[in-house]
Amino acid sequence: MTIRPHRTESRARTKARHRPDLRPYATGALALGVALLAVQAFAQDGDETIIKAHGYSYFGNLDYPEDYAHFDFVNPDAPKGGELVLSATGTFDSLNPYSRKGRAGALTTLQYDQLFESVEDSVGQYYCILCESLEYPESRDWVIFNLRPEATFWDGTPVTAEDVVYSHRLFITQGLPSYAQAVGEMVTGAEALDEHRVKFTFNPELSKRSRIETVGSTPVFKKAWFEEDPENRRLDEPRMEVPPGSGPYRLDSYDVNRRIVYSRRDDYWGEDVPFNVGRNNYDTIRLEYFADQTASFEAFKAGEYTFKVETDPKQWASAYDFPKVQEGVIVTEEIPDGSPPNPTGFVFNLGKEQLQDKRVREAIALAFNFEWTNESLLFGLYSPRSSFVEGTHVEATDVPTGAELEFLQSLGDVVPEELLTEPVRVMHASDGDRLADRRNLRSASRLLSEAGWEVGDDGIRRNDAGETLSVNLLIPSNIQPSVEAMHETFVQNLQQIGVDATFERVDPSQYTLRRRDRDYDILYSTRYGAFLSTGGGLTQMYGSREAEFSLFNPAGLASPLVDEILEASFVADSQEETDVALTALDRALRHEFFVIPTGYIADHWVAYFDMYEHPEELPPYDLGYLSFWWVNPEKEAALKAAGHLD
């Protein structure tokens, strides 16, 4: 892992060519030979083989053995203490992150442990936290989790199998609809076998994928707390009261719309669990709230918070020359990000009639000039993106060949001929010297005319029914200034081709409500996720069944082609077959064209007061500042002595 100092002249498109090879992480080949030692197999109930392990991977590969002491990338001797102070923008009116209603405060999930959790240096590998082991048959028709007897909530009461069962049922009956529907069909039974053993039984007619991962990753709440006041303590309603958690941090205090403080438990039961060694190092984690990004940055310069992950290229390129940086009080770093970039972009609401014609969407996309935007607004720090898994071994390229072609052909008539014979869709190129690329705008105009939207005497496009081609882009008032400028210039180009385009700036609470209700035409969104493995989470983002109401599918994409590929990926028998299906999925998602890619940042940009430290070798899939960074007490004392910290 190379840590580079802040260099404003660097260009992300160059750095993108040096992204790490992700294949070893996706196939679990980091420690060949360990996999066979990671699990025990024994016979039970006749001839069925039962697997017992300290973690879970669909293909059985666990890079860390049963007796692992800690993960390779953590510092097991990291000192405990100090405070991490972060910023948030906007407002909050709830401390319940699991409800569609209200606007939840940040980081509330820190308080709740899961049975197991994924690890930051691999894909699809989960290691026990609340459980000490799990057992399951090769069919994966059921799983038994053996809980750690020492696990307790912060009120001192033990975490029991009944709490696990209750938490599962709570998410089924009161959780987000897309999750509740999918998991409710997947899980046919949940029972406490005794105080420390819980069994989940699965629908054998559905995919084996995501069964164990889903139930194992559910946060565990205290059953008795909810049952004391079931009317007011609901998972689907906003509230400021929080249930006792079994995690390393608990809510300390809050001041609505100003501050939230979490404190590390002195009696945290799981401190010595191998998964947690080297983690949870801060005494407190504090969130300071600000109205918008401008106020937030000024507060950072003033020392009102101490750690910032920067995502605004204008800020990163031009604003980090203030005295505290020049004096070395604040450190800036560019740290390579090994994760595939999030498929961020302008998302079309496919429920809007005027956007259901792909020609209209293609025309609108041609009005977005990435090259000009990058150079003029983003300081050239973004890299172009076309793929949903950019820079990975499952990125679709050119025309399908070999195993991918055979896979697509096996799906039958649901696959359009052009998907088999034409190169995969890539983002159009634009003239970076001028905002209005005349060639692209002429092509966009032709597409709109072909789609039946002709320009009238007033310069506005209408269809045969006299309806205006209007498009509204919705943004929150606390969005980064550079992103707002991106919207403004995009709208200017759309207006040049006769689209009645506007962008609307609303307060964060109203934005949250309208986003949930899909009250928008186009939304700048980070909701879609990249993928290096398959599972039920992909159906919540890209599947048809949940498309109408899933918060993770802001376009409302409902594609029989995508559904077929997802289903096929669920039954793949090997990592190689899975990779083929994921490559085809990338090709199909790009074919459906429901997101205009806006590029990505190849590195993590961080700025922090010079007291935070991190392991020399960081894992590829998480920056980890919340989890396995720490405060150097001597540096902290020096900053306080110099008056830079209270």
Side-chain angles (χ1 to χ4, degrees):
M1 176 65 65
T2 301
I3 307 301
R4 292 191 293 273
H6 174 208
R7 298 190 308 274
T8 58
E9 73 277 15
S10 62
R11 290 296 180 263
R13 73 165 58 89
T14 299
K15 291 178 282 185
R17 289 198 290 266
H18 300 284
R19 297 176 69 80
D21 179 8
L22 300 173
R23 184 179 299 275
Y25 301 108
T27 58
L30 282 175
L32 294 176
V34 172
L36 296 178
L37 302 176
V39 299
Q40 306 171 35
F42 53 92
Q44 180 175 305
D45 297 335
D47 295 330
E48 188 172 26
T49 299
I50 307 300
I51 300 166
K52 183 175 182 179
H54 59 291
Y56 179 75
S57 168
Y58 184 78
F59 292 113
N61 55 303
L62 292 174
D63 296 326
Y64 293 91
E66 184 177 6
D67 61 350
Y68 81 101
H70 56 79
F71 294 122
D72 292 342
F73 54 85
V74 304
N75 173 11
D77 301 317
K80 304 287 186 182
E83 182 177 45
L84 177 68
V85 190
L86 307 170
S87 76
T89 59
T91 60
F92 69 94
D93 58 9
S94 171
L95 293 176
N96 174 19
Y98 305 105
S99 171
R100 292 183 81 252
K101 303 176 183 178
R103 187 174 174 86
L107 300 184
T108 52
T109 55
L110 286 175
Q111 305 169 96
Y112 308 106
D113 272 333
Q114 303 167 184
L115 292 168
F116 58 35
E117 195 167 330
S118 60
V119 65
E120 295 92 336
D121 63 355
S122 66
V123 174
Q125 296 187 29
Y126 301 79
Y127 292 86
C128 282
I129 300 179
L130 280 172
C131 66
E132 57 187 7
S133 66
L134 60 152
E135 307 163 30
Y136 57 93
E138 290 184 319
S139 66
R140 292 172 177 75
D141 284 344
W142 53 264
V143 63
I144 293 174
F145 291 95
N146 301 302
L147 304 186
R148 299 184 191 271
E150 67 270 26
T152 60
F153 295 105
W154 71 49
D155 63 359
T157 58
V159 178
T160 69
E162 285 289 351
D163 294 312
V164 177
V165 172
Y166 184 83
S167 300
H168 163 75
R169 291 175 178 164
L170 202 61
F171 277 100
I172 297 300
T173 57
Q174 299 177 19
L176 295 175
S178 56
Y179 178 91
Q181 175 177 291
V183 180
E185 294 179 355
M186 176 198 301
V187 182
T188 58
E191 58 180 320
L193 301 179
D194 58 36
E195 188 175 3
H196 296 118
R197 298 179 79 231
V198 59
K199 181 177 183 179
F200 293 94
T201 306
F202 304 107
N203 184 345
E205 302 300 319
L206 299 180
S207 168
K208 298 178 184 179
R209 295 276 187 163
S210 294
R211 292 178 176 180
I212 296 175
E213 302 98 304
T214 298
V215 295
S217 299
T218 302
V220 176
F221 304 123
K222 182 177 178 179
K223 175 184 178 181
W225 185 88
F226 282 90
E227 290 187 332
E228 286 175 1
D229 190 0
E231 290 188 9
N232 296 310
R233 295 175 176 176
R234 294 183 57 86
L235 202 63
D236 54 2
E237 293 290 341
R239 50 178 159 75
M240 303 307 295
E241 190 180 20
V242 300
S246 62
Y249 289 89
R250 62 173 295 177
L251 180 67
D252 182 279
S253 62
Y254 66 89
D255 187 349
V256 173
N257 298 334
R258 294 187 62 188
R259 182 178 299 109
I260 304 176
V261 181
Y262 302 96
S263 59
R264 184 163 52 86
R265 290 174 55 184
D266 293 333
D267 62 345
Y268 178 45
W269 68 272
E271 182 174 348
D272 297 324
V273 170
F275 189 99
N276 289 323
V277 172
R279 298 181 188 264
N280 310 316
N281 300 316
Y282 310 115
D283 280 347
T284 57
I285 298 176
R286 172 159 53 98
L287 278 301
E288 293 289 340
Y289 272 76
F290 304 96
D292 53 35
Q293 297 289 341
T294 300
S296 173
F297 186 65
E298 291 302 315
F300 180 64
K301 290 163 63 176
E304 294 185 37
Y305 63 98
T306 55
F307 195 107
K308 181 173 178 60
V309 178
E310 185 59 77
T311 57
D312 188 329
K314 180 179 180 181
Q315 295 271 85
W316 188 246
S318 63
Y320 282 85
D321 57 355
F322 53 90
K324 284 188 174 68
V325 174
Q326 296 168 348
E327 297 164 6
V329 175
I330 289 176
V331 176
T332 61
E333 283 188 306
E334 294 180 350
I335 301 177
D337 182 1
S339 301
N342 229 30
T344 299
F346 295 104
V347 175
F348 294 105
N349 182 352
L350 300 180
K352 298 291 186 176
E353 186 176 355
Q354 73 271 29
L355 298 176
Q356 291 172 2
D357 189 325
K358 189 187 290 188
R359 293 172 297 182
V360 173
R361 303 199 299 273
E362 290 173 339
I364 289 173
L366 285 168
F368 177 63
N369 187 329
F370 168 78
E371 285 76 10
W372 183 91
T373 299
N374 191 31
E375 293 301 325
S376 302
L377 302 178
L378 307 177
F379 286 76
L381 294 175
Y382 269 47
S383 293
R385 182 188 65 79
S386 294
S387 170
F388 283 75
V389 283
E390 190 79 26
T392 74
H393 65 285
V394 294
E395 178 183 351
T397 58
D398 200 26
V399 296
T401 60
E404 186 196 357
L405 178 60
E406 293 177 7
F407 170 79
L408 288 169
Q409 289 172 332
S410 73
L411 300 180
D413 294 340
V414 73
V415 180
E417 181 64 23
E418 61 265 28
L419 202 72
L420 304 175
T421 59
E422 297 179 4
V424 66
R425 177 188 290 274
V426 295
M427 185 61 174
H428 63 274
S430 301
D431 182 355
D433 293 333
R434 60 176 65 195
L435 172 60
D437 183 311
R438 294 174 182 173
R439 176 177 54 86
N440 284 342
L441 295 184
R442 284 195 297 268
S443 297
S445 294
R446 285 195 297 270
L447 283 169
L448 291 176
S449 295
E450 291 173 9
W453 297 95
E454 296 290 354
V455 179
D457 294 337
D458 57 358
I460 301 296
R461 290 186 180 269
R462 293 179 175 81
N463 60 14
D464 290 341
E467 297 168 325
T468 300
L469 178 55
S470 60
V471 174
N472 180 254
L473 287 70
L474 185 69
I475 61 172
S477 58
N478 62 336
I479 204 168
Q480 299 161 355
S482 59
V483 177
E484 182 171 346
M486 187 189 304
H487 282 72
E488 184 176 3
T489 54
F490 186 20
V491 164
Q492 289 176 21
N493 272 357
L494 287 171
Q495 291 172 346
Q496 284 202 40
I497 58 175
V499 178
D500 182 16
T502 56
F503 75 94
E504 185 178 1
R505 193 171 183 263
V506 299
D507 70 74
S509 296
Q510 186 180 1
Y511 175 83
T512 298
L513 179 62
R514 289 182 60 177
R515 176 176 57 80
R516 290 170 177 169
D517 293 341
R518 289 200 188 144
D519 182 13
Y520 51 82
D521 297 324
I522 296 178
L523 192 74
Y524 183 78
S525 176
T526 60
R527 283 280 166 166
Y528 289 109
F531 42 85
L532 292 176
S533 61
T534 189
L538 289 181
T539 64
Q540 293 189 54
M541 287 187 287
Y542 303 115
S544 295
R545 295 193 60 197
E546 297 90 350
E548 186 176 345
F549 49 79
S550 175
L551 296 180
F552 308 103
N553 184 357
L557 173 70
S559 163
L561 168 63
V562 171
D563 292 340
E564 285 291 324
I565 295 174
L566 285 174
E567 288 299 320
S569 75
F570 296 158
V571 297
D573 292 325
S574 67
Q575 186 66 56
E576 290 72 22
E577 290 183 8
T578 303
D579 289 349
V580 169
L582 294 178
T583 302
L585 177 60
D586 179 45
R587 187 179 301 275
L589 292 173
R590 291 156 71 175
H591 169 78
E592 294 293 349
F593 195 60
F594 54 98
V595 181
I596 305 172
T598 53
Y600 68 97
I601 302 168
D603 293 336
H604 299 290
W605 298 334
V606 292
Y608 52 86
F609 278 67
D610 188 19
M611 62 179 177
Y612 298 105
E613 297 181 349
H614 57 71
E616 182 178 352
E617 294 293 328
L618 291 173
Y621 300 123
D622 198 331
L623 180 57
Y625 65 94
L626 278 170
S627 180
F628 48 81
W629 290 44
W630 63 89
V631 171
N632 181 313
E634 295 180 358
K635 291 183 177 181
E636 179 187 29
L639 289 174
K640 288 183 176 180
H644 297 302
L645 294 176
D646 294 333

